[in-house]
């Protein structure tokens, strides 16, 4: 703020000069906060942290800094639930998140919070420390909680880039250790977790009659499989790959909309069959990228929308009711008239679940989904 105070009368007439000065000021602030944080954590090596964690108790509680973003659908709530669990266990916590929708977190703020709060543990969902080397000090224990199948988490060199204080928890331990070099002793497999207290009914709370229905489905996956295919195809500037995606979509559409298709289907075999039929060879990392970026999301979308169509057929044939909660359903040509807006996480979601005769969930992931736990 002191540096900016002089700016009104001294902004360079050259626009690029102004941008350069802003950039230099920001870089200086980042470096200043880094030096302050490094001074706090000087000398804290693996041996120090072993003693620190062994000494945790009521007099010396664990300090946990959770970092997330308000521009997520579920992860921000998952992080809050995790920090609430830490607090119930006696830890002190702090959440770093954007203050408002029109804000971002400046890079120097990550370092400033570490210097001020002095966390013993940093927790981030779906991202490793090496992705943000300038934001996080290297000698603070850091946990990446894997909740989603993102490409950068499942690459050949990911494990090699993890240091002695980089830990991982979540799903995919066998794959990460055997294929991507994650240290086995620094990976704790675990399922998703929720905070049931956020979903419980208030004392004497009655069910909102407007929420009552025979089937409720909560999801932001309103984009149709056809639209997903078109979007993914348009994002690729590679004619052979586009041709393969078209072939895969056309050759598997009937299977994926049939009653014999489910989350246990061997998608790798399906990929290889279409590749052989189209004289394409996808091996190694390109094969894994195809699976992660296109085939699994497409299969997941087909399962969701096919099952939803069966539910819609049933309610229409029997005079029952179906409520769809999430973004974009009102624009869907088949399901639009079932749309009921967005289910707000917490009390509203709990009310929706209690007001429904049946809460529907489906998808390609056989892991225990948070929606099942919440219901």
């Amino acid at each position: 703020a002191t540096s900016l105070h002089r700016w009104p009368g001294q902004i360079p007439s050259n626009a690029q000069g102004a941008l350069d000065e802003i950039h230099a000021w920001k870089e200086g602030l980042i470096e200043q906060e880094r030096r302050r944080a490094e001074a706090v954590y000087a000398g804290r090596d693996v041996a120090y942290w072993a003693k620190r964690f062994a000494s945790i108790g009521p007099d010396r509680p664990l300090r946990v800094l959770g970092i997330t973003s308000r521009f997520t659908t579920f992860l921000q709530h998952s992080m809050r639930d995790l920090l609430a669990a830490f607090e119930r266990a006696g830890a002190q916590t702090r959440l770093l998140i954007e203050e408002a929708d029109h804000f971002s977190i400046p890079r120097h703020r990550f370092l400033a919070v570490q210097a001020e709060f002095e966390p013993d543990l940093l927790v981030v969902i779906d991202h490793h420390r090496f992705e943000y080397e300038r934001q996080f000090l290297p000698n603070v224990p850091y946990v990446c909680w894997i909740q989603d199948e993102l490409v950068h988490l499942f690459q050949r060199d990911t494990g090699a880039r993890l240091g002695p204080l980089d830990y991982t928890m979540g799903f995919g331990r066998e794959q990460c250790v055997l294929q991507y070099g994650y240290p086995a002793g620094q990976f704790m497999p675990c399922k998703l977790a929720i905070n049931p207290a956020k979903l419980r009914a208030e004392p004497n709370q009655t069910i909102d009659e407007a929420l009552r229905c025979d089937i409720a489905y909560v999801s932001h996956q309103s984009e149709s499989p056809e639209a997903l295919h078109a979007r993914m195809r348009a994002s690729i500037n590679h004619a052979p790959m586009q041709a393969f995606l078209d072939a895969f979509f056309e050759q598997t559409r009937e299977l994926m909309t049939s009653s014999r298709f489910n989350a246990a289907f061997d998608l790798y075999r399906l990929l290889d069959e279409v590749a052989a039929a189209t004289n394409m060879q996808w091996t190694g990392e390109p094969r894994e990228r195809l699976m992660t970026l296109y085939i699994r999301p497409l299969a997941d979308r087909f399962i969701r929308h096919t099952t939803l169509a069966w539910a819609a057929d049933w309610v229409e044939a029997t005079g029952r009711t179906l409520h769809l909660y999430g973004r974009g359903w009102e624009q869907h040509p088949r399901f639009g008239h079932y749309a009921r807006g967005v289910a707000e996480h917490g009390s509203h979601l709990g009310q929706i679940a209690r007001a429904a005769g049946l809460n529907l969930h489906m998808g390609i992931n056989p892991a225990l989904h948070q929606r099942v736990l919440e219901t």
Side-chain angles (χ1 to χ4, degrees):
T2 302
S3 301
L4 286 172
H5 182 70
R6 64 182 177 81
W7 278 24
Q10 297 185 28
I11 290 186
S13 57
N14 179 302
Q16 184 60 50
L19 292 175
D20 290 344
E21 186 166 344
I22 292 171
H23 179 72
W25 175 79
K26 289 170 61 178
E27 290 297 308
L29 191 55
I30 292 169
E31 185 57 32
Q32 173 184 313
E33 293 296 347
R34 171 170 287 278
R35 288 196 299 268
R36 188 160 71 101
E38 287 175 341
V40 170
Y41 285 92
R44 299 189 186 185
D45 55 11
V46 173
Y48 168 89
W49 290 114
K51 292 179 182 178
R52 170 69 183 105
F53 275 74
S55 70
I56 289 170
D59 296 331
R60 297 195 68 198
L62 183 74
R63 291 187 298 273
V64 183
L65 175 62
I67 299 97
T68 188
S69 173
R70 66 192 297 125
F71 307 112
T72 64
T73 55
F74 173 71
L75 300 187
Q76 60 175 309
H77 306 298
S78 185
M79 179 59 73
R80 289 189 176 97
D81 290 350
L82 176 63
L83 294 183
F86 269 119
E87 289 177 357
R88 288 194 296 271
Q92 297 176 353
T93 70
R94 184 171 295 186
L95 177 68
L96 182 59
I97 190 170
E98 298 89 356
E99 296 179 26
D101 287 347
H102 58 284
F103 280 20
S104 61
I105 303 174
R107 281 191 294 180
H108 74 271
R109 186 62 191 147
F110 291 87
L111 295 162
V113 171
Q114 291 170 75
E116 296 160 4
F117 182 53
E118 292 189 43
D120 304 305
L121 185 65
L122 307 172
V123 184
V124 181
I125 299 175
D126 285 340
H127 292 281
H128 288 296
R129 187 199 321 253
F130 67 75
E131 300 173 53
Y132 307 97
E133 291 179 346
R134 299 195 66 193
Q135 278 96 316
F136 301 114
L137 299 181
N139 61 328
V140 186
Y142 180 106
V143 171
C144 167
W145 185 2
I146 296 181
Q147 294 192 14
D148 299 289
E149 191 174 12
L150 303 180
V151 171
H152 65 270
L153 297 171
F154 301 92
Q155 291 188 331
R156 200 175 310 154
D157 65 339
T158 300
R161 302 181 70 178
L162 302 179
L165 292 173
D166 290 320
Y167 300 87
T168 310
M169 71 180 193
F171 76 88
R173 181 176 188 268
E174 181 177 343
Q175 181 185 16
C176 287
V177 170
L178 297 181
Q179 295 185 35
Y180 306 115
Y182 281 62
Q186 293 168 221
F187 197 124
M188 182 183 75
C190 69
K191 294 181 172 67
L192 285 176
I194 65 160
N195 181 6
K198 295 171 66 173
L199 307 173
R200 293 193 188 113
E202 299 294 331
N204 303 318
Q205 184 182 51
T206 58
I207 292 178
D208 183 350
E209 292 300 316
L211 300 179
R212 285 195 184 277
C213 61
D214 294 295
I215 299 178
Y217 179 57
V218 180
S219 171
H220 291 309
Q221 307 291 335
S222 60
E223 180 187 46
S224 69
E226 292 77 13
L228 182 149
H229 167 74
R231 175 171 58 81
M232 295 303 297
R233 188 188 189 282
S235 69
I236 298 171
N237 187 24
H238 185 253
M241 180 69 79
Q242 289 178 333
F244 178 77
L245 297 189
D246 289 339
F248 186 91
F249 186 82
E250 293 303 325
Q251 293 184 33
T252 61
R253 184 206 301 255
E254 184 177 352
L255 167 66
M256 290 190 181
T257 55
S258 70
S259 59
R260 66 191 181 94
F261 188 73
N262 56 46
F265 209 90
D266 189 345
L267 295 177
Y268 281 100
R269 181 169 63 85
L270 196 59
L271 165 60
D272 294 339
E273 288 175 355
V274 177
T278 56
N279 295 317
M280 294 286 190
Q281 293 294 324
W282 305 112
T283 59
E285 194 165 315
R287 184 171 180 257
E288 290 298 325
R289 282 179 173 270
L290 264 173
M291 186 63 63
T292 300
L293 294 176
Y294 177 75
I295 294 175
R296 282 201 191 97
L298 179 66
D300 180 80
R301 196 63 53 85
F302 265 121
I303 284 182
R304 289 173 185 264
H305 283 235
T306 299
T307 308
L308 201 53
W310 296 337
D313 290 343
W314 179 75
V315 300
E316 289 167 5
T318 59
R320 303 280 184 161
T321 52
L322 169 65
H323 288 181
L324 302 183
Y325 295 91
R327 291 193 297 267
W329 289 112
E330 65 280 357
Q331 300 171 8
H332 195 284
R334 172 72 171 87
F335 306 129
H337 59 286
Y338 299 115
R340 293 296 184 275
V342 174
E344 298 297 334
H345 191 80
S347 175
H348 186 222
L349 182 58
Q351 291 180 57
I352 289 169
R354 287 188 292 275
L358 183 150
N359 288 277
L360 187 63
H361 174 69
M362 55 278 189
I364 197 68
N365 187 356
L368 195 56
H369 193 276
Q370 72 265 14
R371 189 70 65 244
V372 180
L373 291 168
E374 290 163 347
T375 303

